Amino acid sequence: MPRARTPAIAPRTRPALTFYPAEVDGAPAAFVVDLEQEPRKTLGARIVVAVPMRDPTEDGLRSEDEMGTLDRVQEVITGRLEEAYGAELVGFYDLNGATTLVFYGSGKPIPVAVAKTIGDIGPYAIDVHVAQDPEWRFYIDVLFPDAYALQGIWNRALIDELESHGDTLIEPRVVDHLVTFPTKAGADKASKKLKAQHFTIDGVEPDEEEGRFALMFHRSETLEDDKPNHFSAEILDIILPLDGEYDGWGAPAVGGDQEEEEEEASGLKPQASGGGKKKAAPAKAKAPAKAKAPAKAKAPAKKKAPAKKKAPAKAKAPAKAKAPAKAKAPAKAKAPAKKKAPAKAKK
C-alpha cells in the first residue's frame, strides 16, 4: 500500500510574473514570465520593445541602481500599449545590456506607430519589433521555461513556504514525490531506475479518469542550498525519456513555528537531549497550484502532451504545469536553462 501523506499547507500568495535564470548563447539572462497566460487569437500581434540599459552589470543584466528606473519605464510602456492596442505584458528578459518587454495585442500595428504610441521615456531609447503571432510561439518557445527551470520555480515556492514556518532546511526529513505516466510499463521502468538512485517506491496507482498511472516514491533529504534542484533534476532525467510528468514534491516542516505550536497544544515542554531527533510538524508544505500549459503549446520533443492530472488522495504533491516544446536543460540543476537567441521579428 502507498504511504499516507500528511495534510498540505497552501502558500498565501503567488505572483503573476515569475523569475528564472537562463543562458542564451552562453550569455547570462534573467527571464520573467507570466505562467498563467494562454494564447488568444484576439491578441495575435506580438509587440517586442527592447530598452538598452544605461548602467548594466558586467554580465549584461540590470544593476540594483537602475532596477527601480527600469521598472518605472516598464510601467509606462505597458500602460500606453494597453490603452492603444489592448496589449498584455506576458514577460520580459534581461540580456546583453538590454531589457526586452514582450506584449501581445490586437490589430495589425506597425513599429513606427507603436514607437509613437510609447513616446518619450526620458533618457532611454527603444527598439520596436512587431510580428503577427496568433499561436503565441514566441511566448511558448522563448519565454516559457522548460521542465527543469519550471520545477526550479516551484522549488523556490516550496522552500519559501517552509522557511516561513521557521524551518532551517538542514534537518533530514522524508520528501515525497509524485510522477504520472501514460502506461504502467513506463511507471514500472521508472520505478527500477529510481530504486537504483536510492528512492523508496510507495506504489503505482491507476487513474481511470485521466487514463494515466501515478507513481509515488520518497527519500530522506535535507533541503538547504540547491538540493531541491538537484533531486528534481535527478528525477526529471529519469522520467522525461519515459514520457513521465513530474507532479512535484512535498515535505513536512521540521522545527520552527510548527514545532512550537504542537508543543503548546499538547502541553509538553521542550526537553534537551543528546542527538535526539527533532519532531516533525504534521503539516506539509505545498507549492502553489501550477500554471496550465498554454493551450497551443506542443508537448516536449519525443513526448506526447499528457492530460492534466490531479494528485491522488494520498499524494498531495502540487499539480504540474506541462512545459511547452523546448530543448532539454542541462542535467545539473545548478546550471541555468540554456536558450537559443530569440529570433527577431521584422521591424
Side-chain angles (χ1 to χ4, degrees):
M1 293 291 292
R3 296 172 57 254
R5 303 176 77 176
T6 49
I9 305 169
R12 289 177 282 276
T13 59
R14 175 171 180 267
L17 292 172
T18 305
F19 161 82
Y20 69 96
E23 286 183 0
V24 178
D25 292 344
F31 280 73
V32 177
V33 61
D34 185 347
L35 298 177
E36 296 181 349
Q37 289 285 351
E38 291 187 4
R40 281 160 286 166
K41 290 187 177 181
T42 54
L43 299 179
R46 184 179 73 239
I47 302 172
V48 178
V49 182
V51 182
M53 302 173 194
R54 295 178 63 82
D55 185 27
T57 62
E58 290 184 1
D59 53 8
L61 303 180
R62 67 179 66 188
S63 64
E64 290 187 10
D65 292 341
E66 196 174 13
M67 188 173 297
T69 305
L70 288 172
D71 286 345
R72 289 190 291 273
V73 167
Q74 176 181 314
E75 290 175 4
V76 170
I77 294 174
T78 299
R80 292 173 182 174
L81 294 183
E82 180 180 5
E83 182 177 356
Y85 304 105
E88 292 192 20
L89 178 68
V90 299
F92 61 92
Y93 56 92
D94 293 349
L95 173 67
N96 293 332
T99 186
T100 301
L101 314 177
V102 182
F103 300 85
Y104 281 88
S106 60
K108 295 183 178 181
I110 58 174
V112 173
V114 172
K116 185 175 180 180
T117 296
I118 293 172
D120 181 27
I121 51 171
Y124 289 95
I126 59 172
D127 186 15
V128 177
H129 300 265
V130 177
Q132 290 299 308
D133 184 11
E135 294 187 350
W136 288 34
R137 295 313 314 177
F138 192 93
Y139 170 75
I140 293 169
D141 297 332
V142 176
L143 290 181
F144 205 89
D146 66 13
Y148 292 80
L150 188 62
Q151 187 58 44
I153 292 169
W154 307 133
N155 290 347
R156 290 200 302 272
L158 278 161
I159 293 303
D160 288 347
E161 182 62 24
L162 287 168
E163 288 182 326
S164 75
H165 290 276
D167 195 328
T168 60
L169 310 177
I170 60 175
E171 295 289 341
R173 83 286 309 276
V174 172
V175 177
D176 291 302
H177 304 271
L178 175 64
V179 177
T180 67
F181 294 88
T183 66
K184 189 174 185 300
D188 290 341
K189 190 170 183 179
S191 296
K192 293 179 180 178
K193 291 178 177 290
L194 290 164
K195 284 180 69 176
Q197 298 302 316
H198 308 293
F199 288 98
T200 299
I201 306 302
D202 298 317
V204 177
E205 292 185 355
D207 186 329
E208 295 180 1
E209 181 180 350
E210 299 292 345
R212 293 179 68 81
F213 292 85
L215 168 62
M216 291 156 284
F217 54 98
H218 69 276
R219 190 172 69 182
S220 179
E221 311 272 7
T222 59
L223 301 175
E224 77 278 14
D225 301 327
D226 205 38
K227 290 186 178 177
N229 287 340
H230 278 289
F231 65 65
S232 295
E234 187 178 0
I235 293 166
L236 289 168
D237 285 345
I238 291 172
I239 70 166
L240 290 181
L242 300 172
D243 290 350
E245 183 183 338
Y246 188 32
D247 249 23
W249 58 272
V254 177
D257 299 341
Q258 300 247 6
E259 185 176 351
E260 292 173 5
E261 290 171 4
E262 186 175 2
E263 287 164 349
E264 290 175 3
S266 64
L268 299 176
K269 294 182 179 180
Q271 297 181 2
S273 60
K277 292 183 179 180
K278 288 192 176 181
K279 193 172 185 180
K284 179 168 292 184
K286 181 181 178 184
K290 296 196 175 183
K292 293 181 180 179
K296 297 293 184 178
K298 294 181 180 178
K302 298 184 181 180
K303 176 179 176 182
K304 294 182 180 179
K308 194 62 77 173
K309 170 89 171 103
K310 291 184 179 179
K314 292 184 179 180
K316 299 293 183 180
K320 182 72 169 91
K322 293 190 282 288
K326 284 183 178 289
K328 185 177 178 181
K332 296 295 183 181
K334 283 187 177 180
K338 292 184 178 180
K339 291 176 172 282
K340 294 181 179 180
K344 290 188 176 181
K346 296 180 179 180
K347 289 188 178 182

